[in-house]
């Protein structure tokens, strides 16, 4: 059985007249809308015109920047075709001005989409959901690096932690989620382990998300910033300190993929993600597997620049939406990507 589904604010970066693959297909004819901002009502949002600025093949889900288009061409970006680049050598290396956001409707085989998921996994969030459904306040502590601070989301409402808080709030209007963001930009799991008592335990969270790994995997002089063994021990310390001090739902967040052309990318993000998957099983806690979803996006034709707003390691608004999809699986056993 199929139905029409709307994809909102999928991101793309166009290079010349190269074909770009939209994430879903077949697309409903006439449904594609492009603009410069996630929010179509944003005061600075500029809309683009089909036929003039872009051309769509609705059956294949391919979209192309038209010649003479008002959409900026990424071949004009300072990092275009640069390999092993050092971002510190450039004043502006962001993809912000080159990123467009796309709404469209597509035909979804609902039975096939459900086949990739098991039963709802909300037991990983049992404590939080019970408090909300009983009309109480649930404290959500966000822990991690710059991505967890909301790095590169255009507004806080688009950052993954706020998307998650909003999603949880819909489970019971009687309760409310209070977000306490204790993430620090540039931090590794070593820093997180050192401050867990003061910044996590002291806040008595009902829900804790732990989002480390991106900075830990950074490559400096041939070595990662935090070796895998030390990374695992740091995450264990955070988990165990939290569990010793009350009933807390803990969700480990695997990191997205950084730009493989950045000089500090180790290529080992998958190994750090695997540590979190293994710890999730061992401690019987949730794992929001963003890394898996991210790789599915890349394998489906997405480019790093279309997902990373800083062109290095910070997701754009759509990238933060992908993080949300990983949490959706934990809440209800479903998500937008299989």
């Amino acid at each position: 059985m199929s139905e029409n589904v709307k994809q909102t604010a999928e991101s793309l970066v166009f290079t010349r007249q190269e074909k770009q693959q939209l994430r879903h297909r077949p697309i409903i004819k006439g449904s594609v809308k492009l603009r410069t901002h996630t929010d179509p009502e944003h005061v600075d949002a500029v809309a683009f015109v089909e036929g003039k600025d872009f051309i769509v093949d609705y059956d294949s889900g391919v979209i192309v920047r038209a010649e003479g288009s008002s959409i900026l061409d990424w071949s004009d970006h300072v990092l275009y075709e640069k390999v092993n680049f050092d971002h510190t050598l450039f004043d502006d290396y962001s993809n912000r001005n080159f990123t467009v956001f796309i709404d469209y409707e597509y035909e979804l085989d609902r039975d096939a989409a459900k086949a990739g998921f098991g039963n709802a996994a909300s037991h990983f969030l049992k404590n939080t959901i019970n408090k909300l459904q009983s009309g109480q306040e649930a404290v959500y502590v966000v822990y991690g690096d710059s991505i967890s601070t909301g790095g590169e989301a255009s507004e806080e409402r688009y950052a993954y932690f706020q998307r998650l808080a909003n999603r949880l709030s819909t489970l019971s209007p009687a309760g409310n989620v209070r977000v306490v963001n204790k993430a620090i930009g540039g931090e590794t799991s070593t820093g997180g382990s050192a401050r867990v008592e003061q910044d996590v335990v002291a806040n008595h969270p009902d829900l804790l998300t732990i989002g480390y790994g991106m900075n830990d995997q950074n490559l400096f002089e041939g070595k990662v910033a935090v070796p895998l063994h030390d990374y695992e021990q740091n995450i264990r310390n955070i988990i165990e300190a939290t569990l010793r001090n009350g009933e807390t739902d803990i969700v480990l967040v695997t990191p997205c993929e950084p730009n493989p052309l950045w000089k500090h990318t180790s290529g080992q993000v998958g190994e750090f993600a695997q540590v979190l998957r293994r710890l999730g099983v061992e401690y019987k806690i949730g794992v929001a597997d963003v890394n898996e979803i991210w790789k599915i996006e890349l394998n489906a034709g997405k480019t790093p620049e279309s997902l990373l707003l800083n062109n290095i390691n910070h997701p754009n608004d759509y990238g933060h939406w992908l993080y949300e999809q990983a949490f959706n699986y934990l809440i209800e056993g479903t998500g937008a990507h299989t």
Side-chain angles (χ1 to χ4, degrees):
M1 181 176 67
S2 64
E3 62 180 275
N4 291 351
V5 177
K6 186 171 183 178
Q7 172 65 52
T8 302
E10 179 177 332
S11 57
L12 270 183
V13 167
F14 288 95
T15 303
R16 299 195 176 107
Q17 278 67 59
E18 294 178 8
K19 294 179 180 179
Q20 300 290 335
Q21 182 70 59
L22 290 175
R23 183 62 183 85
H24 305 285
R25 59 184 183 275
I27 301 171
I28 307 303
K29 287 182 170 56
S31 68
V32 176
K33 307 295 181 185
L34 266 70
R35 59 184 178 277
T36 56
H37 198 280
T38 303
D39 181 359
E41 304 301 323
H42 193 277
V43 64
D44 295 326
V46 176
F48 299 106
V49 180
E50 184 173 357
K52 177 183 176 182
D53 294 309
F54 63 93
I55 300 167
V56 184
D57 184 325
Y58 283 89
D59 292 328
S60 66
V62 168
I63 186 168
V64 178
R65 177 180 176 274
E67 291 190 31
S69 173
S70 299
I71 300 171
L72 294 183
D73 180 354
W74 201 75
S75 68
D76 294 327
H77 193 283
V78 294
L79 295 179
Y80 177 65
E81 292 189 328
K82 287 184 170 54
V83 179
N84 197 36
F85 66 83
D86 181 352
H87 67 287
T88 64
L89 301 179
F90 304 91
D91 293 331
D92 183 7
Y93 48 88
S94 171
N95 291 323
R96 185 176 302 277
N97 293 333
F98 294 87
T99 304
V100 299
F101 295 92
I102 307 170
D103 293 346
Y104 61 93
E105 293 182 41
Y106 64 95
E107 187 175 311
L108 175 69
D109 184 334
R110 179 56 66 183
D111 293 333
K114 288 182 179 179
F117 296 96
N119 296 325
S122 59
H123 61 274
F124 289 123
L125 301 171
K126 182 178 179 180
N127 182 59
T128 304
I129 292 173
N130 285 345
K131 291 199 75 170
L132 293 174
Q133 292 180 338
S134 64
Q136 300 179 63
E137 177 180 81
V139 177
Y140 168 25
V141 172
V142 188
Y143 211 47
D145 53 32
S146 55
I147 297 174
S148 294
T149 69
E152 302 300 327
S154 61
E155 300 175 31
E156 185 171 288
R157 60 177 168 147
Y158 296 129
Y160 85 76
F161 64 85
Q162 192 59 56
R163 290 175 184 265
L164 172 59
N166 292 344
R167 176 69 180 84
L168 289 170
S169 295
T170 66
L171 299 178
S172 176
N176 71 287
V177 178
R178 177 162 62 91
V179 176
V180 179
N181 198 321
K182 290 296 182 177
I184 295 179
E187 189 174 65
T188 67
S189 62
T190 302
S193 178
R195 62 188 179 92
V196 63
E197 293 289 341
Q198 67 185 55
D199 283 344
V200 175
V201 174
N203 281 290
H204 307 288
D206 299 297
L207 170 62
L208 170 68
T209 58
I210 304 173
Y212 289 104
M214 183 61 77
N215 295 327
D216 297 74
Q217 68 83 42
N218 283 349
L219 194 67
F220 299 104
E221 299 180 353
K223 297 180 180 180
V224 294
V226 179
L228 281 168
H229 177 271
D230 294 344
Y231 173 73
E232 178 174 334
Q233 188 57 55
N234 290 335
I235 301 300
R236 285 183 183 276
N237 290 345
I238 297 170
I239 293 170
E240 292 178 4
T242 304
L243 292 178
R244 279 196 302 270
N245 287 275
E247 293 186 6
T248 300
D249 298 324
I250 300 177
V251 178
L252 307 177
V253 186
T254 65
C256 65
E257 288 286 324
N259 191 327
L261 301 181
W262 183 43
K263 70 175 295 184
H264 296 301
T265 299
S266 67
Q268 294 181 244
V269 174
E271 296 176 48
F272 284 84
Q274 189 57 32
V275 168
L276 298 183
R277 296 182 189 112
R278 181 161 44 77
L279 292 177
V281 172
E282 179 180 337
Y283 287 96
K284 296 181 175 59
I285 57 178
V287 177
D289 202 346
V290 176
N291 190 261
E292 180 181 7
I293 287 177
W294 205 273
K295 287 178 178 177
I296 290 172
E297 293 287 312
L298 294 172
N299 290 335
K302 286 291 182 185
T303 60
E305 59 267 19
S306 69
L307 299 174
L308 300 169
L309 201 71
N310 68 348
N311 206 47
I312 299 170
N313 55 11
H314 287 174
N316 58 27
D317 288 346
Y318 177 69
H320 278 276
W321 180 81
L322 294 176
Y323 273 69
E324 181 187 9
Q325 303 317 296
F327 286 103
N328 280 349
Y329 176 74
L330 294 179
I331 295 170
E332 59 188 27
T334 60
H337 300 268
T338 59

